[in-house]
Amino acid sequence: MPSTVPFFLSDNEVLNRAARIAAGDIASNCLPYQAGLLTQEAVCLMAGLDYDMPWTRDAAINTMNAMCVLDPEIAKNTLLSVCEQNGDGYLIGGQYWDCILWALGAWQYLAVNPDEAFQAFAAEAVCITIKKLEAEELDESTGLFMGAAVYGDGIAAYPDKYAQTKGHRTGILDWPQTHAAEAEGSAHGIPMRVLSTNCAYYAAYRIAARWSSSPDAAAEWNTKADRLKPAIQTHFWDPATGRFDYLFDSTLRCDAAEALGLSFAILFGVADEDQCRSILRNTPVTEHGIACVWPSFDRYRIGNHYGRHSGTVWPHAEGFWALANLRAGCPAGFEKELWNLSYRAVRDMQFAEIYHPVTGEIYGGMQENEAHGISVWRSCEKQTWSATAFWSLLLYGLCGLEITADKIHIRPYLPTGVDHMELKNLHLDNAVLHLIVDRGAKSPSEAALPRPLSGEITLRLGPNRL
């Protein structure tokens, strides 16, 4: 990692070690790579130690989480590597249902690193991609997009209906091959409407509006967002559970708690204030963190086992859930995920892909495995979005950074067990920022810095009290 990378220090050794382990995992996954719109080999961020390429959803989430701050050049390279030429324009590549997450990664990158040329490119790629997906996957009867869950490329994320694939293959993209008659108008053949995916489209519509070059274009995108939000409210909100349901199609409804979907609903402004409080109050969280989907589907509940994509704890989902808790005024929920991530990392000397919800051990979960039937899979090593999720809690949670085009707002938060912390060597604009936070300090609890910044800036703040 370059010398411009920031450093986190505190008076809590577990937190310090976890921060260094996360930084090490991220650095180890930065490799030379060429694909997509990269015309020559450049350093990009792989999805993890077990991967030799980025994934679109991972590239977006890693950029959102931390890479836009930790290493903007690598973040930009990685975003470009998953895009494609589309005639005279550009298209976001990757698995169709969640590739729109790229818009969120590009938005956060540009908030931190203003770049007119890249913004023009990003606006074009997002607009072309959304219009293509509207034509292929937007269901006019519900106003929702069809397609799988943001994180859910494996069939362990879904009810039994979607586990019926030819030869017990494991990917959700294998399902349409034997269920073409059930496509319900989906061009790609997966008719489910999922909370997380539709929340991501809602955020992408708002981003497309903000990037628009004319008021009329912005109004058109905002109108689409204004239609999608009430559609999500109408079709997903469940008064019986006090939260949004996970997914539905014409023959089934699943009211499981989807960690990413519920987090996105809070973070992207889909849920109102009362719904935010209800979600936090009524969403089950395991001892070792929020599960990606809870409960696990019965076909995986063999002994003490859980599904690979249901019942297990995925750190990237924990990161979004933690920030959603903080956003909604629940610091206890934020701290639970912060310390779970910290203690596991220090214990294992890495941020792994998946953990068991009861034991907290590294655990890959159960999933169909072709001729082997349902069996235990392995958890990948040094998963990048697990490590960047932890850094997102340091940057946007503890340090309270909110970076927009015109200012940097800082509202730090000190968790239980931490009385002092520092973020050093934070490079923003033409400045190097050092943040020092002390509990009990006779200092302001927040600061707002107009952009662009320049020079060396040291801020001494007290913690914000939620």
Side-chain angles (χ1 to χ4, degrees):
M1 301 284 274
S3 60
T4 56
V5 170
F7 304 98
F8 178 87
L9 299 168
S10 76
D11 59 355
N12 186 289
E13 190 57 25
V14 171
L15 208 55
N16 294 344
R17 290 177 67 83
R20 291 175 63 184
I21 291 165
D25 285 357
I26 295 166
S28 71
N29 290 325
C30 296
L31 297 174
Y33 182 74
Q34 182 179 358
L37 296 180
L38 287 179
T39 58
Q40 58 187 12
E41 191 175 73
V43 177
C44 293
L45 187 60
M46 307 298 109
L49 187 63
D50 295 307
Y51 296 85
D52 58 3
M53 61 181 287
W55 284 61
T56 303
R57 77 174 70 90
D58 298 62
I61 289 174
N62 286 324
T63 300
M64 293 165 64
N65 281 347
M67 285 304 287
C68 59
V69 174
L70 298 182
D71 196 310
E73 182 179 356
I74 291 177
K76 183 177 179 180
N77 290 343
T78 309
L79 291 173
L80 288 170
S81 77
V82 296
C83 289
E84 307 166 354
Q85 190 81 34
N86 180 49
D88 294 330
Y90 303 102
L91 194 68
I92 303 164
Q95 293 176 322
Y96 75 93
W97 65 84
D98 66 354
C99 68
I100 204 60
L101 275 177
W102 189 95
L104 282 72
W107 173 263
Q108 187 70 7
Y109 170 84
L110 286 163
V112 178
N113 309 284
D115 181 333
E116 289 185 6
F118 187 73
Q119 180 172 317
F121 155 74
E124 179 180 348
V126 168
C127 291
I128 290 174
T129 302
I130 292 181
K131 289 177 180 178
K132 177 177 184 291
L133 291 166
E134 285 175 334
E136 295 174 346
E137 298 298 327
L138 182 60
D139 170 33
E140 296 294 341
S141 67
T142 60
L144 299 169
F145 285 88
M146 292 180 279
V150 163
Y151 75 102
D153 53 323
I155 58 175
Y158 305 104
D160 293 356
K161 170 181 176 177
Y162 289 98
Q164 305 305 312
T165 62
K166 184 177 180 180
H168 300 291
R169 292 174 183 164
T170 61
I172 191 61
L173 287 174
D174 295 311
W175 188 83
Q177 297 174 22
T178 53
H179 300 271
E182 301 175 60
E184 294 184 35
S186 164
H188 293 274
I190 300 175
M192 68 179 85
R193 293 81 162 166
V194 182
L195 177 63
S196 59
T197 301
N198 279 279
C199 288
Y201 275 103
Y202 172 74
Y205 274 145
R206 293 298 189 202
I207 289 168
R210 291 167 186 157
W211 282 341
S212 293
S213 57
S214 72
D216 288 345
E220 181 181 353
W221 290 116
N222 277 325
T223 297
K224 291 179 177 182
D226 290 340
R227 286 199 296 260
L228 181 55
K229 181 175 177 177
I232 296 172
Q233 289 275 1
T234 298
H235 293 286
F236 286 102
W237 183 255
D238 187 345
T241 62
R243 59 177 186 265
F244 292 103
D245 285 348
Y246 173 26
L247 63 82
F248 70 92
D249 62 24
S250 63
T251 66
L252 69 82
R253 173 170 287 273
C254 179
D255 65 358
E258 184 202 13
L260 282 183
L262 295 170
S263 301
F264 287 176
I266 294 173
L267 292 170
F268 302 161
V270 174
D272 62 33
E273 289 186 14
D274 288 341
Q275 288 174 327
C276 288
R277 287 191 290 268
S278 182
I279 290 167
L280 297 184
R281 186 169 60 248
N282 293 297
T283 299
V285 179
T286 80
E287 180 181 352
H288 293 281
I290 191 166
C292 55
V293 170
W294 190 269
S296 186
F297 298 108
D298 288 344
R299 66 184 183 271
Y300 305 120
R301 295 295 286 117
I302 303 167
N304 197 31
H305 288 292
Y306 293 81
R308 179 169 177 80
H309 295 270
S310 61
T312 44
V313 176
W314 291 62
H316 77 293
E318 288 183 276
F320 285 115
W321 178 248
L323 292 176
N325 271 263
L326 207 57
R327 173 76 58 85
C330 182
F334 170 83
E335 290 192 23
K336 179 179 175 67
E337 304 299 346
L338 173 72
W339 293 119
N340 273 325
L341 286 165
S342 300
Y343 287 122
R344 291 195 310 251
V346 172
R347 178 196 66 193
D348 302 327
M349 291 302 295
Q350 66 157 311
F351 283 81
E353 180 189 31
I354 317 174
Y355 297 85
H356 195 285
V358 176
T359 68
E361 298 296 325
I362 295 174
Y363 167 72
M366 299 278 277
Q367 187 168 243
E368 287 77 3
N369 194 5
E370 300 186 11
H372 301 288
I374 294 176
S375 58
V376 179
W377 287 51
R378 64 181 292 270
S379 171
C380 292
E381 305 281 341
K382 296 182 181 291
Q383 197 74 357
T384 310
W385 65 11
S386 300
T388 61
F390 183 78
W391 263 90
S392 77
L393 303 191
L394 301 181
L395 294 171
Y396 311 126
L398 299 188
C399 295
L401 296 180
E402 184 180 346
I403 303 172
T404 62
D406 60 345
K407 68 178 179 180
I408 297 168
H409 198 176
I410 304 171
R411 300 177 72 237
Y413 172 75
L414 286 176
T416 305
V418 181
D419 294 318
H420 173 86
M421 68 179 182
E422 301 178 22
L423 184 67
K424 293 186 173 183
N425 201 45
L426 178 63
H427 285 244
L428 290 170
D429 300 332
N430 296 311
V432 180
L433 178 65
H434 308 291
L435 173 63
I436 302 169
V437 183
D438 282 296
R439 194 184 300 280
K442 294 180 180 179
S443 305
S445 60
E446 60 184 291
L449 306 177
R451 299 183 72 181
L453 305 181
S454 62
E456 188 151 343
I457 303 169
T458 299
L459 286 178
R460 298 181 182 273
L461 299 176
N464 180 54
R465 293 172 177 80
L466 297 181

